[in-house]
Amino acid sequence: MLGDRWSLLIIRDMMLRGFRTYKEFLECYEGIATNILADRLRKLVAYGIITTETDASDGRKVIYSLTAKGIDLAPVLTEMVLWAAAHEDTGNQALVRLMREDKKKFLAGVRQRWADRHSARP
Amino acid sequence: MLGDRWSLLIIRDMMLRGFRTYKEFLECYEGIATNILADRLRKLVAYGIITTETDASDGRKVIYSLTAKGIDLAPVLTEMVLWAAAHEDTGNQALVRLMREDKKKFLAGVRQRWADRHSARP
DNA sequence: AATTATTACTTGCAATTAGCAAGTGAAATG
DNA sequence: CATTTCACTTGCTAATTGCAAGTAATAATT
């Protein structure tokens, strides 16, 4: 169900880089095809991992957010980033250091930011 | 690189169910096609996640084992199993309980069993 | 107010990948 | 020595992906 090339990257970028719109994913360095992106977002909604709403101040924009089920993938993504940092070419070095130094605190921070965004709006 | 339907399942089954031969994967409940299995095993070897050797007591058999890089995926797999147990239909309930009750101890056990198998043979 | 731009998509088609059934070769078993 | 087992490969079809172009709705610009 998350066994494809893009779904986990989408979730990672929503969780760690704050991506929220179609355009952000499409323009991201990773080069996903537009129809595939639309399909993956649709499936993630169907699986209950993300939700959609139209932006209140710009009717063209669709805002994607993680559900509780989606944010619960934070430990999985964190371990993946740490593994990649240890064994592959590494991305955001500062982020990796944060994760490694205090994993619990880092995860608590991710959850807190998510909760903040969700208490403000229904 | 692990972004496909089978690679993580193969690693999970090697780590948690002790799978070591082609036949075990092929007959496993998950129904992978034989050419795809061969391809994924080849790629996992190329990525340095598993290694192959021919069985000393049966020249037909190929024994697949996790490398250090492979066993380092244990925290990722553990978090995935826990996430799935919390949000999806759940598999091995006893295993999940072990993981949840003492994650550190569980991971230490996985690593210990791997180290044991690797100190015996070069 | 009309034109242009932006955003989030869809559509059509070619290319890549996956899945299935059957086959191969080497080693073991009866 | 014939049969079985094991780890694959091969050939073909079906499904998925990737690319380029197009569309509908809203927003910004002139």
Side-chain angles (χ1 to χ4, degrees):
Chain A
M1 146 186 186
L2 300 168
D4 75 278
R5 191 171 156 191
W6 300 110
S7 300
L8 282 169
L9 288 176
I10 291 171
I11 297 165
R12 182 198 68 184
D13 288 340
M14 290 182 75
M15 196 146 41
L16 303 178
R17 301 170 68 186
F19 285 12
R20 286 170 312 132
T21 64
Y22 194 87
K23 204 184 167 227
E24 283 176 304
F25 294 115
L26 203 61
E27 288 177 351
C28 158
Y29 62 98
E30 295 154 317
I32 186 172
T34 172
N35 55 340
I36 301 299
L37 174 57
D39 180 73
R40 288 310 111 89
L41 289 169
R42 214 178 294 124
K43 279 177 180 162
L44 288 172
V45 170
Y47 293 148
I49 290 171
I50 64 176
T51 51
T52 54
E53 57 183 315
T54 51
D55 188 330
S57 67
D58 185 342
R60 295 169 303 179
K61 287 189 182 168
V62 174
I63 306 293
Y64 294 95
S65 337
L66 290 163
T67 61
K69 184 175 173 180
I71 205 75
D72 279 358
L73 282 166
V76 176
L77 272 292
T78 300
E79 295 297 347
M80 276 190 163
V81 169
L82 287 174
W83 180 84
H87 294 283
E88 311 280 305
D89 55 348
T90 175
N92 190 332
Q93 201 58 54
L95 191 71
V96 169
R97 206 172 311 117
L98 268 179
M99 286 175 172
R100 202 157 20 206
E101 271 163 22
D102 197 338
K103 204 185 286 180
K104 267 195 176 170
K105 193 172 157 189
F106 175 80
L107 288 171
V110 169
R111 278 178 198 288
Q112 189 57 54
R113 280 190 295 282
W114 178 81
D116 289 348
R117 261 177 276 122
H118 284 255
S119 60
R121 303 166 312 189
Chain B
M1 146 186 185
L2 299 168
D4 76 279
R5 192 172 156 191
W6 300 111
S7 300
L8 281 169
L9 288 177
I10 291 171
I11 297 165
R12 183 199 67 187
D13 288 340
M14 291 183 74
M15 196 145 42
L16 304 178
R17 301 171 69 185
F19 284 11
R20 287 170 311 132
T21 64
Y22 193 87
K23 205 183 167 225
E24 283 176 304
F25 294 115
L26 203 62
E27 288 177 349
C28 158
Y29 62 99
E30 296 155 314
I32 187 172
T34 172
N35 55 340
I36 301 300
L37 175 57
D39 180 72
R40 288 311 112 89
L41 289 170
R42 213 178 296 125
K43 278 177 180 163
L44 288 173
V45 170
Y47 292 148
I49 290 172
I50 64 176
T51 50
T52 53
E53 57 184 315
T54 50
D55 189 331
S57 66
D58 185 343
R60 294 168 304 180
K61 286 190 183 168
V62 174
I63 305 292
Y64 293 95
S65 337
L66 290 164
T67 62
K69 184 174 172 180
I71 205 72
D72 279 357
L73 282 165
V76 176
L77 272 293
T78 300
E79 294 298 347
M80 275 190 163
V81 169
L82 287 174
W83 181 84
H87 293 284
E88 309 282 304
D89 54 350
T90 175
N92 189 333
Q93 202 57 55
L95 191 73
V96 170
R97 207 172 310 117
L98 267 179
M99 286 175 173
R100 202 156 20 206
E101 271 163 22
D102 196 338
K103 203 184 289 181
K104 268 195 176 171
K105 193 172 158 188
F106 175 80
L107 287 172
V110 169
R111 277 177 199 288
Q112 188 57 55
R113 281 190 295 281
W114 178 80
D116 290 348
R117 261 177 276 122
H118 284 256
S119 59
R121 302 164 312 187

